[in-house]
Amino acid sequence: MKKQTIFLLVICILSFAGHLFVYPMLPEEVPIHWNVYGEADNWAGKASTLFLALLPMLMLLMLRIIPKIDPRGKSYEKHQKAYQIFITLLILFLNITLWITNALCLGYPVPIERLIPIGVGIILLTVGNHMPQLRTNYTMGIKNPWTLENEWVWKKTHATGGIVFILMGLCTILNGFLPTPRTAQITVGIILLGVLGLEVYSYLLFKSLRDGTKE
């Protein structure tokens, strides 16, 4: 854990230092949102990029503190590998996003409409692959009154959730290779349906437990 934290912290510091170096070269207004065609459709002052540059370090700090303050902190010892992988992917993704934004602001033709969905898809895919390893906690996973109330409901929900997240990740990656309004709408629909479906599924599991019809 300490080696990983040091490694990621060094990356964040180098990335932030690099951003400060290119900061004077950025235009006074920078894009902060792009449509599915990779066209900027919302803008802000370039000072907003400083927050984007600091965000990876802030997230790293927060994710390292969480296991110490989570009432179910002992669970992190049981799913430490999954948590470490999630932290690494998220911090790397945030830093990559910063430099994609910088490259676009400096006029380089970076296909953001492809790279961001592919990056998000990889995170969803990896989280799905490790989701069954997660133990009850208040930070990661499918947290609702039914999963947090019962260990069996948590395990069953996350076993199914792993499959659902893998499917959502594959769809998101596909959207990155085929970035059109239709594929974006389908991907968002699948993600919303998957999240809602897991909530309903966990409730039905809890209900079956309460009613004595658990299989």
Side-chain angles (χ1 to χ4, degrees), residues 8 17 20 27 60-61 81 83 105 127 165:
L8 292 175
L20 292 180
L60 179 60
L61 176 63
K81 180 180 178 181
Y83 192 60
C105 292
V127 168
F165 267 68

Side-chain angles (χ1 to χ4, degrees), residues 70-210:
D70 192 320
R72 298 185 180 179
K74 290 185 178 180
S75 292
Y76 292 85
E77 298 175 7
K78 299 177 182 178
H79 61 226
Q80 185 179 102
K81 180 180 178 181
Y83 192 60
Q84 286 179 307
I85 291 173
F86 171 73
I87 290 176
T88 299
L89 280 178
L90 180 62
I91 300 306
L92 291 178
F93 176 75
L94 291 175
N95 279 296
I96 291 170
T97 300
L98 167 68
W99 285 98
I100 288 175
T101 302
N102 283 342
L104 287 168
C105 292
L106 294 172
Y108 293 98
V110 180
I112 189 172
E113 74 282 3
R114 296 180 183 274
L115 296 178
I116 297 300
I118 291 174
V120 172
I122 291 173
I123 292 176
L124 290 173
L125 194 65
T126 306
V127 168
N129 187 51
H130 290 86
M131 185 169 281
Q133 301 174 18
L134 298 181
R135 297 297 180 262
T136 54
N137 68 93
Y138 290 96
T139 306
M140 284 188 69
I142 304 163
K143 305 174 299 300
N144 57 43
W146 312 295
T147 56
L148 291 173
E149 178 68 20
N150 183 269
E151 184 77 20
W152 176 77
V153 175
W154 175 281
K155 288 182 178 180
K156 291 280 287 184
T157 300
H158 284 75
T160 302
I163 298 172
V164 173
F165 267 68
I166 287 173
L167 292 174
M168 291 192 300
L170 291 173
C171 290
T172 307
I173 291 172
L174 179 61
N175 180 47
F177 286 104
L178 301 171
T180 67
R182 178 59 60 87
T183 56
Q185 291 169 1
I186 293 174
T187 300
V188 171
I190 289 173
I191 291 175
L192 291 176
L193 185 63
V195 171
L196 179 60
L198 288 172
E199 292 291 321
V200 174
Y201 178 67
S202 63
Y203 168 74
L204 293 176
L205 287 173
F206 182 79
K207 186 174 183 297
S208 72
L209 186 67
R210 184 187 60 189

